């Protein structure tokens, strides 16, 4: 079972390299946002597998934190692409 988990960790690391390449060279901004979201999911799964490998539940809180940050980051980039501004400011004062 340990060799299977290590093999999956290596495969996820290789896919993360491909996703980072797509994030840098993406033809459009929406491709970069999808790549960033995929990178977050890959990182969460990598930490989950590492948590299984070392037989601890300490990393589960880190997984939850990364999931929340990944969601917020994806929403912020999507809003920036759609409207060009993340936080609407009222400058009439």
């Amino acid at each position: 079972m340990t060799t299977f988990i290590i093999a999956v960790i290596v495969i996820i690391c290789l896919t993360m390299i491909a996703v980072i390449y797509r994030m840098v060279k993406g033809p459009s901004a929406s491709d970069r946002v999808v790549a960033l979201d995929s990178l977050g999911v890959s990182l969460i799964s990598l930490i989950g597998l590492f948590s299984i490998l070392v037989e601890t539940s300490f990393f589960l809180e880190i997984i939850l934190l990364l999931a929340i940050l990944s969601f917020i980051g994806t929403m912020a980039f999507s809003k920036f692409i759609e409207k060009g501004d993340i936080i609407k400011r009222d400058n009439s004062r």
Side-chain angles (χ1 to χ4, degrees):
M1 185 70 171
T2 304
T3 57
F4 178 73
I5 292 175
I6 291 173
V8 173
I9 287 174
V10 169
I11 291 170
I12 290 175
C13 288
L14 292 174
T15 58
M16 286 175 74
I17 292 170
V19 167
I20 289 172
Y21 174 77
R22 177 54 51 199
M23 195 168 59
V24 171
K25 291 289 277 190
S28 67
S30 61
D31 289 331
R32 290 185 174 120
V33 170
V34 170
L36 184 66
D37 194 37
S38 298
L39 188 67
V41 170
S42 298
L43 187 61
I44 289 168
S45 63
L46 190 70
I47 292 173
L49 286 170
F50 184 72
S51 176
I52 293 170
L53 189 65
V54 296
E55 298 176 356
T56 184
S57 64
F58 173 73
F59 296 109
L60 298 178
E61 291 138 6
I62 296 172
I63 291 172
L64 182 63
L65 179 67
L66 281 174
I68 292 169
L69 288 175
S70 177
F71 175 75
I72 290 172
T74 303
M75 289 295 114
F77 279 124
S78 299
K79 189 173 179 183
F80 179 73
I81 289 172
E82 180 183 347
K83 297 182 180 180
D85 195 18
I86 296 173
I87 299 172
K88 186 175 181 179
R89 294 190 176 111
D90 187 20
N91 292 331
S92 63
R93 295 182 203 177

